[in-house]
Amino acid sequence: MASILNADIAGGLKATGDTSGVLQIQAGSVTVANIASSGVNAGIQVAPFAAPAFSIQNNGTAQSVSNATWTKVALNTKQFDTNSNFDTTTNYRFTPTVAGYYQVNGSVRGTATTTFTQFIAMIYKNGSELIRSQLTASFTAGSNASVPVNTVVYMNGTTDYLELYGYQYAAATGNVVSAGQFSTFFNAALVRSA
């Protein structure tokens, strides 16, 4: 049938439609959404968009954290990684390939091998501190502490990367432990494109 709608929409989108009840919205040559009408069952279908999101945890093996030393958490078990942007073998980092603003969450759980007074979780961006969360108290040997940390951060989609670090202050080495997603984890999702 002949086209009854052929309009450019702000932001480079284009809408086309005809009397069959099908409306197609496109960004350049990529179809973003199709709106189809079938009597009273009109609906909307949105084509998949590769918006990066991941959720990673440690495989449950204790990781030593030296006293007063920032230690990258070795997260190596994926719950999901929609765009394959998290390296679980070497760098333990998230390098998204879509520019935008990301909600980022992490938690580090520590077990004291001796009394410690400070336990910190930190998210690094490009090798430097982005945000930290700190727990200051006296923890005796064998006790546990979990420290959550979260923020929203802009990522450029090419070279920016994020990592999760832990820190403990005591007279001896402590452990970063993970008993699954509720203890030591790291996750992020794109909430707004650039």
Side-chain angles (χ1 to χ4, degrees):
M1 295 195 169
S3 174
I4 59 170
L5 173 65
N6 191 347
D8 289 329
I9 305 171
L13 296 178
K14 182 178 180 180
T16 57
D18 57 35
T19 56
S20 69
V22 175
L23 173 64
Q24 191 171 67
I25 301 172
Q26 295 180 323
S29 62
V30 179
T31 299
V32 176
N34 292 314
I35 300 174
S37 175
S38 176
V40 295
N41 296 319
I44 184 168
Q45 298 173 332
V46 179
F49 173 64
F54 77 91
S55 183
I56 307 290
Q57 63 194 47
N58 185 291
N59 66 6
T61 304
Q63 179 184 354
S64 291
V65 178
S66 296
N67 180 47
T69 302
W70 287 105
T71 304
K72 187 189 307 187
V73 181
L75 299 157
N76 52 18
T77 302
K78 293 183 181 183
Q79 290 182 297
F80 59 86
D81 186 4
T82 63
N83 222 25
S84 298
N85 292 147
F86 196 95
D87 174 8
T88 57
T89 58
T90 306
N91 294 314
Y92 306 108
R93 68 175 54 156
F94 175 58
T95 309
T97 52
V98 177
Y101 298 88
Y102 289 79
Q103 172 66 49
V104 185
N105 311 291
S107 180
V108 180
R109 181 181 182 203
T111 295
T113 54
T114 185
T115 300
F116 68 84
T117 56
Q118 234 177 31
F119 195 62
I120 305 171
M122 181 184 292
I123 296 172
Y124 275 36
K125 179 181 178 183
N126 302 332
S128 298
E129 178 180 353
L130 174 65
I131 190 166
R132 72 169 68 183
S133 183
Q134 180 172 324
L135 187 58
T136 303
S138 181
F139 297 92
T140 57
S143 61
N144 298 304
S146 292
V147 182
V149 61
N150 54 69
T151 191
V152 175
V153 61
Y154 173 78
M155 304 294 286
N156 66 16
T158 54
T159 58
D160 285 344
Y161 62 91
L162 298 174
E163 301 162 310
L164 181 65
Y165 276 74
Y167 175 99
Q168 59 91 23
Y169 185 75
T173 296
N175 288 323
V176 171
V177 298
S178 174
Q181 64 180 330
F182 305 111
S183 299
T184 299
F185 63 84
F186 194 29
N187 59 54
L190 178 68
V191 293
R192 184 180 186 279
S193 59

